[in-house]
Amino acid sequence: MQLYGTEIGSPLLLGTAQYPSPAVLTKAIEASGAEIITVSLRRESAGGSGMGFFEILQETGCRTLPNTAGCHTAQEAITTAHMARDVFETDWIKLEVIGHSDTLQPDVFGLVEAARVLSADGFKVFPYTTDDLVVGEKLIDAGCEVLMPWGAPIGSGQGLRAPEALKAMRGHFPDIPLIIDAGIGRPSDAAQATELGFDAVLLNTAVATAGDPVQMARAMALAVQAGRAGFLATPMERCDMAVPSTPILGLAELA
């Protein structure tokens, strides 16, 4: 997977919120095999750990993808992105512009506006978007080289609510890296995403709030790898009727 000219080996990106402790977070990151982790500027420092939260993340060796979580206008997201670039010393930014407080659905109009401004300013934008093909086209025209459609509302764990729309998106953008962002709840959801041809999955809540976050991180890593391998193997087509695996011709006839 090539993201803005950088080769990424792992098809799993991991968020860093809601973990029970910094120690569990670092163990989960290691178990996931993730090479990219996301973090918000709103994250508080890890109390009592002897070092700040950002320093803990740096020690994992992963690439940090700061995000504009909680921003509800294009201007707020643009300002937050500039602050993130100063803090993390990276021009990569996961762009979120929230349009609906209950579903946390992206404001696609503000998203395209912010993406255009940030791309022109040298940012490598990773937009959290919907599965709308027109919006995807406009984000690419705005300078984005990757699209991150939601599978379901953030933190809902509903899996892929519109697999056919996502499948159409994969077909419409064959050369654009596509990453499912939000809604993944179980390893089977993650496997379905990569089996549909998506290059990677970004998730947080499913791992952070699991009974055993480290074990769940390991399970998610295996799931995305299995799904990706299945996609590359070209799965069999579904049939409406049974197809015998043993040929009928040549069977012995018993008197």
Side-chain angles (χ1 to χ4, degrees), residues 146-158:
V146 58
L147 298 174
M148 301 177 66
W150 66 344
I154 293 172
S156 68
Q158 295 179 15

Side-chain angles (χ1 to χ4, degrees), residues 5 16 37 39 43 50 75-76 89 96 107 109 112 159 163 172 192 195-196 205 209 211 221 228 232 234 236 238 242:
T16 57
I37 52 177
V39 62
R43 182 76 58 252
Q75 188 55 55
E76 185 181 7
E89 299 181 344
E96 297 183 25
D107 172 359
F109 303 101
V112 172
H172 190 71
Q192 183 185 16
E195 192 175 304
L196 284 175
T205 308
T209 63
R228 184 64 181 170
L232 294 175
T234 310
M236 64 176 286
R238 295 181 184 272

Side-chain angles (χ1 to χ4, degrees), residues 60-195:
T60 66
C62 295
R63 181 159 193 152
T64 301
L65 176 62
N67 65 50
T68 61
C71 293
H72 290 262
T73 67
Q75 188 55 55
E76 185 181 7
I78 292 168
T79 300
T80 302
H82 280 90
M83 294 171 60
R85 181 160 65 179
D86 292 340
V87 171
F88 295 102
E89 299 181 344
T90 178
D91 55 8
W92 282 25
I93 190 73
K94 180 190 170 188
L95 181 61
E96 297 183 25
V97 182
I98 302 301
H100 194 276
S101 298
D102 291 334
T103 64
L104 301 182
Q105 179 172 331
D107 172 359
V108 295
F109 303 101
L111 182 67
V112 172
E113 177 187 348
R116 182 173 292 109
V117 172
L118 291 173
S119 295
D121 196 28
F123 281 89
K124 308 298 188 296
V125 179
F126 293 69
Y128 162 62
T129 183
T130 65
D131 53 29
D132 189 288
L133 302 183
V134 177
V135 174
E137 291 280 9
K138 291 188 178 298
L139 286 168
I140 292 170
D141 291 342
C144 299
E145 297 182 12
V146 58
L147 298 174
M148 301 177 66
W150 66 344
I154 293 172
S156 68
Q158 295 179 15
L160 306 186
R161 294 203 305 182
E164 291 302 318
L166 293 170
K167 185 178 180 180
M169 194 173 197
R170 176 71 284 176
H172 190 71
F173 300 106
D175 301 320
I176 299 294
L178 298 180
I179 301 172
I180 290 293
D181 180 12
I184 298 297
R186 298 172 181 271
S188 55
D189 302 330
Q192 183 185 16
T194 51
E195 192 175 304

